[in-house]
Amino acid sequence: MSADESGGKAGEPREPKGDPEPSGVDLARVALRAAKEAARARGASAQQKKQARRGGGLRSGARADGRDPMGLGAAINRLITERGWETPAAVGGVMGRWPQIVGDDLAKHCVPQKYDEDERVLVVQCDSTAWATQVRMLAPQLVRRLNEDLGHGTVRRIDIKNPGSGARRYGPLRAPGSTGHDDTYG
């Protein structure tokens, strides 16, 4: 070997690079330690399973923990949050407070029917075409007022449905697919 290959000058002893490789006794100790840790882990999991069969192993105490009963309102709020129902629940609350939001006169003549969460559209049914026209003119203001109450962007538009009665199924002359005398509305 030349001086360049050994990393030192010719004739000088080489210094060992890194740690020496573990001997058989050291390898046995490492293997024994790993086996003991694995056995402890298996024993701990077996103990947990045993405690779960006996009732959890936890005893009730003076401090609150996850097993304590919760109030109905807190349970409902937790369910709404976990399921992602915040927006539909808020809109449902608006439907209950409709007269306070739009005013008593308007609330007497139009009623919210449904809310489409994907399109963010509130459908409102009016009792006359005159009130439907009035609501169409007030729609931008109503959307703004609803978004102030619910959060920005919750309602993008309001669909106004004209009055309608059920389909008339009687009479000798009837066009297929028509809904009767109210067919020209909405």
Side-chain angles (χ1 to χ4, degrees):
M1 214 188 310
S2 71
D4 292 335
E5 292 175 5
S6 67
K9 295 181 181 176
E12 290 182 13
R14 283 185 35 196
E15 293 183 21
K17 294 182 180 178
D19 294 328
E21 291 190 27
S23 66
V25 175
D26 293 330
L27 289 174
R29 285 184 186 145
V30 170
L32 180 61
R33 189 177 309 130
K36 284 181 177 180
E37 288 176 6
R40 256 189 237 117
R42 281 194 307 271
S45 67
Q47 183 68 21
Q48 288 174 351
K49 289 179 185 176
K50 193 175 186 182
Q51 285 178 348
R53 282 192 300 263
R54 280 192 263 149
L58 296 175
R59 299 291 178 244
S60 181
R63 292 187 178 89
D65 61 11
R67 300 173 297 141
D68 288 343
M70 68 172 55
L72 181 61
I76 290 173
N77 287 339
R78 181 174 158 191
L79 179 67
I80 287 172
T81 303
E82 287 174 356
R83 301 289 172 106
W85 294 340
E86 290 93 354
T87 301
V91 172
V94 164
M95 290 183 180
R97 295 180 291 120
W98 185 250
Q100 289 87 12
I101 294 172
V102 299
D104 290 332
D105 288 339
L106 196 60
K108 289 177 188 175
H109 299 284
C110 66
V111 179
Q113 295 291 314
K114 66 179 182 175
Y115 175 72
D116 183 3
E117 187 176 359
D118 296 331
E119 298 292 323
R120 296 182 182 170
V121 175
L122 181 66
V123 178
V124 175
Q125 177 80 42
C126 295
D127 63 0
S128 72
T129 55
W131 278 103
T133 303
Q134 183 72 21
V135 172
R136 280 188 186 95
M137 289 189 293
L138 293 173
Q141 295 169 0
L142 293 175
V143 168
R144 188 184 74 246
R145 194 177 299 169
L146 288 167
N147 283 330
E148 286 172 1
D149 193 63
L150 298 172
H152 182 69
T154 304
V155 178
R156 288 188 183 158
R157 74 173 198 269
I158 297 177
D159 275 353
I160 295 99
K161 299 295 179 191
N162 284 317
S165 59
R168 287 181 25 186
R169 302 281 182 209
Y170 54 88
L173 301 174
R174 190 171 152 290
S178 73
T179 58
H181 73 283
D182 292 331
D183 200 30
T184 59
Y185 292 124

